[in-house]
Amino acid sequence: MALVLDNSVLDAILAQVRPLLGQGKVANYIPALAEVPASKLGIAICTVDGGCFTSGDALERFSIQSISKVLSLVLAMDRYEGDEIWRRVGKDPSGQPFNSLVQLELEQGIPRNPFINAGALVVCDMLQSRLSAPRQRMLEFVRMLSGVSDISYDARVARSEFEHSARNAAIAYLMKSFGNFDNDVIGVLQNYFHYCALKMSCLELAKTFLFLANQGRLPDGDRPVISPLQTRQINALMATSGLYENAGEFAWRVGMPGKSGVGGGIVAIVPHEMSIAVWSPELDGAGNSLAGIAVLEILAQNIGRSIF
Amino acid sequence: MALVLDNSVLDAILAQVRPLLGQGKVANYIPALAEVPASKLGIAICTVDGGCFTSGDALERFSIQSISKVLSLVLAMDRYEGDEIWRRVGKDPSGQPFNSLVQLELEQGIPRNPFINAGALVVCDMLQSRLSAPRQRMLEFVRMLSGVSDISYDARVARSEFEHSARNAAIAYLMKSFGNFDNDVIGVLQNYFHYCALKMSCLELAKTFLFLANQGRLPDGDRPVISPLQTRQINALMATSGLYENAGEFAWRVGMPGKSGVGGGIVAIVPHEMSIAVWSPELDGAGNSLAGIAVLEILAQNIGRSIF
Amino acid sequence: MALVLDNSVLDAILAQVRPLLGQGKVANYIPALAEVPASKLGIAICTVDGGCFTSGDALERFSIQSISKVLSLVLAMDRYEGDEIWRRVGKDPSGQPFNSLVQLELEQGIPRNPFINAGALVVCDMLQSRLSAPRQRMLEFVRMLSGVSDISYDARVARSEFEHSARNAAIAYLMKSFGNFDNDVIGVLQNYFHYCALKMSCLELAKTFLFLANQGRLPDGDRPVISPLQTRQINALMATSGLYENAGEFAWRVGMPGKSGVGGGIVAIVPHEMSIAVWSPELDGAGNSLAGIAVLEILAQNIGRSIF
Amino acid sequence: MALVLDNSVLDAILAQVRPLLGQGKVANYIPALAEVPASKLGIAICTVDGGCFTSGDALERFSIQSISKVLSLVLAMDRYEGDEIWRRVGKDPSGQPFNSLVQLELEQGIPRNPFINAGALVVCDMLQSRLSAPRQRMLEFVRMLSGVSDISYDARVARSEFEHSARNAAIAYLMKSFGNFDNDVIGVLQNYFHYCALKMSCLELAKTFLFLANQGRLPDGDRPVISPLQTRQINALMATSGLYENAGEFAWRVGMPGKSGVGGGIVAIVPHEMSIAVWSPELDGAGNSLAGIAVLEILAQNIGRSIF
């Protein structure tokens, strides 16, 4: 089916979804997130042939939070060979809330996948072991992917996350007790929270993640970010574990690999065609953007795109 | 990428995988399954444009076991409207072994998805409530889908399953205690075990499941089995919950929606293109065909097909 | 400290506790229990030197429910040698609700102790294997212990329990799936529910359980029911597992081995001195008689008795 | 039954138990514990009328480890009123290993009792809030109770524990994430590990814990350490939660309130009569001294003492 996309198509979808605003709950575990206006709603789409479309608050930056877990994994897959990563973290859905310690204890400190907190912390621990300046490296990476040179961390968010880091500290120490955490917990948490505190707009996110729709390549570049096989693998992880314990529901409704963050952002991929980023700060019970999922569901139907 | 498929391509893949035989373990919880020769290996592919390709033991019938869970769900989706099914069973990966009661108790008798035992038992309970002859109806359905008129149940397997039904009886009674099971447990178990005891070959399975690669339609028929949207939904469920707790690993390695059974069969779907059925009785630790997954992994690479 | 007991001491305690009535909740999972007047309150004490004291509704019979689990265990300890029982059921607190399957699955079908449902069902299964008429035998046993010849089962309660037996059926089938249940589930459940449906008054209960305060002997008899060592063992089990997940709280407040039932009865033992039975149908959150525990707590303080 | 105790009675018991040495496993998670000779075996008994009896290695100091959890609780009960403590920690058996986080997460950061690690850490957190020098205060307390002025911490053990503190740090941070931990985690852990690193002999332990057999009073003193009611309460906690998940088994075999430590020590109380301390470094599967329990079991039979 030929793709017909323009900004007015996106405007119409946002208008259709806007009545849902008010049904979710903005993340409030730190003040910096709680202050974000609940009514924000934006979408951006970038296609592999170079088009970009936006609607709503698509140019306003927000805290990407767990969406960064995909980026840190990509960085780690660049620095580690073969199964080095996968001996320390699994690839399967957890079936548990993203910050649970129950499964982690029963499974001896090996997180189910890199997109729950425990898994992302292991990935950050691995980056810490191999990168001299993990925070600077991430900034360079995101700026390179997006082509936007002033993307940076929201220092206030990072600080605030760190002040409320007890749960993640518990997760990291539990893994350390099983021998699956090498570096100083505080140091790794600092990096982890900075990654979560990346401030990006929907448009910048769509640009950044376009390589996952383009077999691992930047749209205009020769150099692959990752290989086509790695691209499929990361999309597979996003499809099965990208939306916390609602990966199945998301696949059912939207039918695209995706990754959400508690800042209300979701990125989704139509392989070989486009990357999509939506933003609406109100979350559903599982911690995913309530209106954001609805936008993606309608979009998928309207443009007739689904991996299934 | 143009698809180049013929039987010799499949022969080569089976030859490549055959050394893995001996590394898994044939299901032995009932004698009828334990007796199946471990060395069986077969594959069949049917394409939406009418081609069929086979290699190895593709024409020999085996017990399809949990693959039948997809078929019973399709039957139920035909008889129930909207959310009637989804109020009683979820759509998300369980992150638990297929026959666990732990999550089912914590979540008050609502199974995570229709492809774990608890979920499939709820679906069978629902079929029992609406169909006058659930076993006969399933036979008619499979024969219609496959175009093979003598597909039937292996009565010895069904009887043997029933004699070892304590675990599934526990699951059904636990759901009954939460009000999520309407009919007599024994009667529903009888049907459930018959469905699991369907005896089909790889070729028959590939034919039967082709509608999931064809937007819900039989290849040569006008009448849709299910709608295109329902087709995507079922493929989504298979992709996130089709291989017990290894759905993520399967997506990573193979990149297709799939459903496995402890008889050693796996069906996989390339949407819009083809259905695939593989068979090798030896299972890995999660209960999936060890060599079967390997066949699908190599096939996916060789023909360049993945939903991701 | 010399014991000063008479009926007026008990009257005073009941008067002190009566204001608590209304704060608990009568068991309502079967109609026959739900109909019991919430305001019933009674106590009976029997001493090893032959005295009996009562107050309130001490002569009115009620459903002893889980208190029967002690009696079935005593019967089994009479029929099985050494560790035969303890290979199939543990002796430790479960830390879980009395009807949970979670721990039972994780621990491969071996219940933590004989006073949770799973453990009592194993004990009933063992009685079924060795007794030709388990229900008749239990009646004879209770009549012998109490000296009351018309104690019997409440057939309506037993029938009603059986009609709501799904949860216990699930427990029994789960144990069967692990090889820890030998007889037909339905048959064992029938006996189990009859034992629970024994109808006895506080006075009859105090008489029945006096042997546990008397080193295993009937007060006037030569023949021991069980040995002094077995008596201490059963009291130990009651102290650590007799009040569902609140054994610690009960030990803290009351300081006596005890066993409760959802009919609102509790029996408690002061070793070498007396047996106590209280009854108040309203239950606390853990399923124990709310006012009954309060009666025992005040009694323990007033008469200066505690095993600690 | 009149008590006949002398050192030769104890010698005979140790001789009887000595063949069990070799069947357990010395704690080896830190070098300082792993180095303790496995063959050590000692017992000391102090009676409320002033007698003391010893046998074996009863005068050699060892690391008391979790036995200190009783002492820190007593200190806290002296500094906090009414339910202040019990709003933050429960009184019931956990049914879980002593260092598990599973239950702690499910129960929102409230530990089941003060004798599992989580509960003891909460108690230490509370001491930190009210005591200016918690370590010095504990030393003074133990020296006062025992009458031995040179009892002190094993600095090497404390340091080594701290170096392997990841699991306990995880527990503390998890409680902090639920708002049930007020002070700096590192600081509290330092105190906690020092308490565990108290070095005492069996004789010193028996002297120290004699107040629990003496209604809360020192044998020769007027001043109560705690009230008679508090004494019964602590004994009740020890009886239901003092031996990790084997409290029921210990009650069954020994019939006394007790508290064990992974250093191989166990203290046990015969209310109104005596305190007992045993030491044998080899542990059973639950982390309790294997031979130590056997010594107590035989002693209980020989002297005819049991709370049941």
Side-chain angles (χ1 to χ4, degrees):
Chain A
M1 177 165 43
L3 183 66
V4 181
L5 256 188
D6 57 34
N7 293 351
S8 70
V9 169
L10 303 185
D11 292 344
I13 295 175
L14 294 199
Q16 193 177 341
V17 164
R18 212 171 286 275
L20 292 179
L21 299 184
Q23 297 187 9
K25 198 158 170 290
V26 176
N28 59 5
Y29 66 99
I30 56 168
L33 289 182
E35 291 164 5
V36 177
S39 61
K40 294 292 178 184
L41 183 63
I43 181 169
I45 297 180
C46 291
T47 62
V48 295
D49 52 17
C52 275
F53 308 90
T54 62
S55 180
D57 304 307
L59 304 184
E60 184 168 336
R61 287 179 174 167
F62 57 94
S63 194
I64 73 166
Q65 294 291 321
S66 291
I67 297 174
S68 67
K69 290 177 168 63
V70 182
L71 299 171
S72 47
L73 176 62
V74 172
L75 274 187
M77 287 174 73
D78 185 48
R79 298 289 168 138
Y80 286 87
E81 297 284 324
D83 267 354
E84 284 182 302
I85 295 174
W86 311 110
R87 278 194 291 269
R88 295 185 55 185
V89 57
K91 297 171 192 144
D92 284 304
S94 69
Q96 303 273 322
F98 60 91
N99 62 359
S100 174
L101 287 88
V102 172
Q103 199 173 58
L104 192 59
E105 176 176 328
L106 297 176
E107 301 186 353
Q108 311 264 316
I110 305 296
R112 275 288 175 97
N113 65 66
F115 295 156
I116 53 174
N117 289 17
L121 285 166
V122 161
V123 168
C124 284
D125 181 52
M126 296 183 78
L127 289 179
Q128 187 99 332
S129 298
R130 293 262 168 106
L131 300 179
S132 55
R135 272 183 247 177
Q136 184 57 29
R137 182 69 193 91
M138 174 62 88
L139 276 191
E140 292 163 6
F141 184 53
V142 178
R143 289 169 180 172
M144 183 270 288
L145 289 174
S146 63
V148 179
S149 62
D150 70 341
I151 289 175
S152 62
Y153 301 118
D154 184 324
R156 184 174 161 239
V157 168
R159 203 178 322 114
S160 188
E161 298 270 12
F162 188 73
E163 284 160 9
H164 295 78
S165 63
R167 185 63 167 250
N168 285 306
I171 292 171
Y173 276 112
L174 182 56
M175 294 192 291
K176 203 174 191 65
S177 77
F178 284 111
N180 195 21
F181 204 91
D182 295 332
N183 298 282
D184 174 59
V185 167
I186 303 298
V188 173
L189 285 177
Q190 292 274 19
N191 286 337
Y192 172 81
F193 289 131
H194 273 81
Y195 292 176
C196 289
L198 273 169
K199 234 178 141 81
M200 297 171 71
S201 70
C202 285
L203 182 57
E204 289 161 351
L205 276 170
K207 285 179 178 173
T208 298
F209 281 86
L210 186 53
F211 74 103
L212 290 179
N214 196 35
Q215 302 194 68
R217 288 180 178 275
L218 295 184
D220 53 355
D222 299 318
R223 202 180 68 87
V225 180
I226 50 176
S227 74
L229 178 60
Q230 287 176 317
T231 305
R232 288 198 294 273
Q233 291 169 336
I234 288 176
N235 286 340
L237 279 183
M238 291 170 71
T240 51
S241 300
L243 273 91
Y244 308 131
E245 69 263 39
N246 282 164
E249 183 79 26
F250 186 77
W252 173 278
R253 289 176 60 190
V254 174
M256 303 174 188
K259 183 73 203 81
S260 61
V262 293
I266 306 176
V267 295
I269 304 297
V270 181
H272 308 293
E273 289 202 69
M274 71 184 86
S275 59
I276 308 164
V278 294
W279 177 42
S280 168
E282 292 184 344
L283 308 179
D284 63 22
N288 297 309
S289 175
L290 191 147
I293 292 179
V295 166
L296 290 169
E297 184 177 18
I298 296 172
L299 175 73
Q301 289 169 3
N302 288 6
I303 65 172
R305 289 301 183 278
S306 159
I307 61 171
F308 303 117
Chain B
M1 178 164 39
L3 183 65
V4 181
L5 257 187
D6 58 33
N7 293 351
S8 69
V9 168
L10 302 185
D11 292 344
I13 295 175
L14 294 198
Q16 193 177 343
V17 164
R18 212 171 286 275
L20 293 178
L21 298 183
Q23 298 187 7
K25 197 157 170 292
V26 176
N28 59 4
Y29 66 100
I30 57 169
L33 288 182
E35 291 164 7
V36 176
S39 61
K40 294 292 179 184
L41 184 62
I43 181 168
I45 297 179
C46 291
T47 62
V48 296
D49 52 17
C52 275
F53 308 89
T54 62
S55 180
D57 304 306
L59 304 184
E60 185 167 336
R61 287 179 174 167
F62 59 93
S63 195
I64 73 166
Q65 295 291 321
S66 291
I67 298 174
S68 67
K69 291 176 168 65
V70 182
L71 300 170
S72 48
L73 176 63
V74 171
L75 272 186
M77 287 174 72
D78 185 47
R79 297 289 168 139
Y80 287 86
E81 297 285 324
D83 268 353
E84 284 182 302
I85 295 174
W86 310 110
R87 278 193 292 271
R88 294 185 56 186
V89 58
K91 297 171 192 143
D92 285 303
S94 70
Q96 302 273 321
F98 60 92
N99 62 358
S100 174
L101 287 88
V102 172
Q103 199 172 57
L104 192 59
E105 176 176 327
L106 296 177
E107 301 187 353
Q108 310 264 316
I110 305 295
R112 275 288 175 96
N113 65 66
F115 296 157
I116 53 175
N117 289 18
L121 284 165
V122 162
V123 168
C124 284
D125 180 52
M126 296 183 79
L127 288 178
Q128 188 100 331
S129 297
R130 294 263 169 104
L131 300 179
S132 57
R135 274 182 246 178
Q136 185 54 31
R137 181 71 192 90
M138 173 61 88
L139 276 191
E140 292 163 6
F141 183 54
V142 178
R143 290 169 179 173
M144 183 271 288
L145 289 173
S146 64
V148 180
S149 62
D150 71 340
I151 289 175
S152 62
Y153 301 118
D154 184 324
R156 183 172 162 241
V157 168
R159 201 179 323 113
S160 187
E161 299 269 13
F162 188 73
E163 284 161 8
H164 295 79
S165 63
R167 184 64 168 249
N168 285 305
I171 292 171
Y173 276 112
L174 182 55
M175 293 192 291
K176 203 175 192 63
S177 78
F178 284 111
N180 195 22
F181 205 91
D182 296 331
N183 298 283
D184 175 57
V185 166
I186 303 298
V188 173
L189 285 178
Q190 292 274 18
N191 286 337
Y192 172 82
F193 289 130
H194 273 81
Y195 292 176
C196 289
L198 273 169
K199 234 177 139 80
M200 297 171 71
S201 69
C202 286
L203 182 57
E204 289 161 352
L205 276 170
K207 285 178 178 174
T208 297
F209 280 86
L210 186 54
F211 73 104
L212 289 179
N214 197 35
Q215 302 195 67
R217 289 180 177 275
L218 295 183
D220 53 355
D222 299 319
R223 202 180 68 85
V225 180
I226 50 175
S227 73
L229 178 61
Q230 288 175 316
T231 305
R232 288 199 293 273
Q233 291 169 336
I234 289 176
N235 286 340
L237 279 183
M238 291 169 71
T240 51
S241 300
L243 274 90
Y244 309 129
E245 70 263 40
N246 283 163
E249 182 79 27
F250 186 76
W252 172 279
R253 289 177 58 190
V254 175
M256 303 173 187
K259 183 74 203 81
S260 60
V262 293
I266 306 176
V267 296
I269 304 297
V270 180
H272 309 292
E273 290 203 66
M274 71 184 85
S275 59
I276 308 164
V278 295
W279 177 42
S280 169
E282 292 184 344
L283 309 179
D284 62 23
N288 298 307
S289 175
L290 191 147
I293 293 179
V295 167
L296 290 169
E297 183 177 18
I298 297 171
L299 175 72
Q301 289 169 4
N302 288 6
I303 65 172
R305 289 300 183 278
S306 160
I307 60 172
F308 303 117
Chain C
M1 177 163 41
L3 184 65
V4 182
L5 256 188
D6 58 33
N7 293 350
S8 69
V9 168
L10 302 186
D11 293 343
I13 295 175
L14 293 199
Q16 193 177 343
V17 164
R18 212 172 288 275
L20 292 180
L21 299 183
Q23 297 187 9
K25 195 156 171 293
V26 176
N28 60 4
Y29 67 100
I30 57 169
L33 288 182
E35 290 164 7
V36 176
S39 61
K40 293 294 179 184
L41 184 63
I43 181 169
I45 296 179
C46 290
T47 64
V48 296
D49 52 18
C52 275
F53 308 89
T54 61
S55 181
D57 305 306
L59 304 183
E60 185 167 334
R61 287 179 174 167
F62 58 93
S63 194
I64 73 166
Q65 294 292 321
S66 291
I67 297 174
S68 67
K69 291 178 168 66
V70 182
L71 300 170
S72 48
L73 176 62
V74 172
L75 273 186
M77 287 174 72
D78 186 46
R79 298 290 168 138
Y80 286 86
E81 297 285 324
D83 269 352
E84 284 182 303
I85 295 173
W86 310 110
R87 278 194 291 270
R88 295 186 54 186
V89 57
K91 297 170 191 146
D92 285 303
S94 69
Q96 303 274 321
F98 60 90
N99 62 0
S100 174
L101 287 89
V102 172
Q103 199 171 57
L104 192 58
E105 176 176 327
L106 297 176
E107 301 186 354
Q108 311 263 317
I110 305 296
R112 274 288 175 97
N113 65 67
F115 296 157
I116 52 174
N117 289 17
L121 284 166
V122 161
V123 168
C124 284
D125 180 52
M126 296 183 79
L127 289 177
Q128 188 100 330
S129 297
R130 294 263 168 105
L131 301 178
S132 56
R135 272 182 248 179
Q136 185 55 31
R137 182 69 193 91
M138 174 62 86
L139 275 192
E140 292 163 6
F141 183 54
V142 177
R143 289 168 180 173
M144 182 271 288
L145 289 173
S146 64
V148 180
S149 63
D150 71 341
I151 289 174
S152 62
Y153 300 118
D154 184 325
R156 183 173 161 242
V157 168
R159 202 179 322 114
S160 188
E161 298 269 14
F162 187 74
E163 283 160 8
H164 296 79
S165 63
R167 184 66 169 245
N168 285 306
I171 292 171
Y173 276 112
L174 182 56
M175 294 192 291
K176 203 174 191 63
S177 77
F178 284 111
N180 195 22
F181 205 91
D182 295 332
N183 297 284
D184 175 58
V185 166
I186 303 298
V188 173
L189 284 177
Q190 292 274 18
N191 286 338
Y192 172 82
F193 289 130
H194 273 81
Y195 292 176
C196 288
L198 273 169
K199 234 179 138 80
M200 298 172 70
S201 69
C202 285
L203 182 57
E204 289 162 351
L205 276 170
K207 285 179 177 172
T208 298
F209 280 87
L210 186 54
F211 74 103
L212 290 179
N214 197 34
Q215 302 194 67
R217 287 179 179 277
L218 294 184
D220 53 355
D222 300 318
R223 201 182 69 86
V225 181
I226 50 175
S227 73
L229 178 61
Q230 287 176 317
T231 306
R232 288 199 294 273
Q233 290 168 337
I234 288 176
N235 286 340
L237 278 183
M238 291 170 70
T240 51
S241 301
L243 274 90
Y244 309 128
E245 70 263 42
N246 282 163
E249 182 81 26
F250 186 77
W252 172 279
R253 289 176 57 189
V254 175
M256 303 173 187
K259 183 75 203 80
S260 61
V262 292
I266 306 176
V267 296
I269 304 297
V270 181
H272 309 292
E273 289 203 68
M274 70 184 86
S275 59
I276 308 163
V278 295
W279 176 43
S280 170
E282 292 184 343
L283 308 179
D284 62 21
N288 298 308
S289 175
L290 190 146
I293 292 178
V295 167
L296 290 168
E297 182 176 20
I298 297 171
L299 175 73
Q301 289 168 4
N302 288 6
I303 66 173
R305 290 300 182 276
S306 159
I307 60 171
F308 302 118
Chain D
M1 177 164 40
L3 184 64
V4 182
L5 256 188
D6 58 32
N7 293 350
S8 70
V9 168
L10 303 185
D11 293 343
I13 295 175
L14 295 199
Q16 193 176 341
V17 164
R18 212 171 288 276
L20 292 179
L21 299 184
Q23 297 187 9
K25 195 157 171 293
V26 176
N28 59 4
Y29 66 99
I30 56 169
L33 289 181
E35 290 163 8
V36 176
S39 62
K40 294 293 178 183
L41 183 63
I43 181 169
I45 296 179
C46 290
T47 63
V48 296
D49 52 18
C52 276
F53 308 90
T54 62
S55 180
D57 304 307
L59 304 184
E60 184 167 335
R61 288 179 174 167
F62 58 94
S63 193
I64 73 167
Q65 294 292 321
S66 291
I67 297 175
S68 67
K69 290 177 168 65
V70 182
L71 300 171
S72 47
L73 176 62
V74 171
L75 273 187
M77 287 174 73
D78 186 46
R79 297 291 168 138
Y80 286 87
E81 297 285 324
D83 269 352
E84 285 182 302
I85 295 173
W86 311 109
R87 279 194 291 270
R88 296 186 52 185
V89 57
K91 297 171 191 142
D92 285 303
S94 70
Q96 303 274 322
F98 60 92
N99 62 0
S100 174
L101 286 89
V102 172
Q103 199 171 56
L104 192 59
E105 176 177 328
L106 297 176
E107 302 186 353
Q108 311 265 314
I110 305 295
R112 275 288 176 97
N113 65 66
F115 296 157
I116 52 173
N117 289 18
L121 284 166
V122 161
V123 168
C124 283
D125 180 52
M126 297 183 77
L127 289 178
Q128 187 99 333
S129 298
R130 293 262 169 105
L131 300 179
S132 55
R135 272 183 247 177
Q136 184 55 28
R137 182 70 193 91
M138 174 62 88
L139 275 191
E140 291 163 7
F141 184 55
V142 178
R143 289 168 179 174
M144 183 270 288
L145 290 173
S146 63
V148 180
S149 61
D150 70 340
I151 289 175
S152 61
Y153 301 118
D154 185 325
R156 183 173 161 240
V157 168
R159 202 178 322 114
S160 189
E161 298 270 13
F162 187 74
E163 283 160 7
H164 295 79
S165 64
R167 184 65 168 248
N168 285 306
I171 292 171
Y173 275 112
L174 183 55
M175 294 193 291
K176 203 174 191 65
S177 77
F178 284 111
N180 196 21
F181 205 91
D182 295 332
N183 297 284
D184 175 59
V185 166
I186 302 298
V188 173
L189 285 177
Q190 292 275 18
N191 286 337
Y192 172 82
F193 289 129
H194 273 82
Y195 291 176
C196 289
L198 273 168
K199 233 178 139 82
M200 297 171 69
S201 69
C202 285
L203 182 57
E204 289 161 351
L205 276 171
K207 286 179 177 172
T208 298
F209 280 86
L210 186 54
F211 73 104
L212 289 178
N214 197 35
Q215 303 193 68
R217 287 180 179 275
L218 295 184
D220 53 356
D222 300 318
R223 203 181 67 86
V225 181
I226 49 175
S227 73
L229 178 60
Q230 288 176 316
T231 305
R232 288 199 294 274
Q233 291 169 337
I234 288 176
N235 286 340
L237 279 183
M238 290 171 72
T240 50
S241 300
L243 274 89
Y244 309 130
E245 69 262 42
N246 282 164
E249 183 80 27
F250 186 78
W252 173 279
R253 290 176 58 189
V254 175
M256 303 175 188
K259 184 74 204 80
S260 60
V262 293
I266 306 176
V267 296
I269 304 296
V270 181
H272 309 291
E273 289 203 70
M274 70 184 85
S275 58
I276 308 164
V278 294
W279 176 43
S280 169
E282 292 184 344
L283 309 178
D284 62 21
N288 298 308
S289 174
L290 191 147
I293 293 179
V295 167
L296 291 169
E297 183 177 19
I298 297 172
L299 175 73
Q301 289 169 5
N302 288 7
I303 66 173
R305 289 301 183 276
S306 159
I307 61 171
F308 302 118

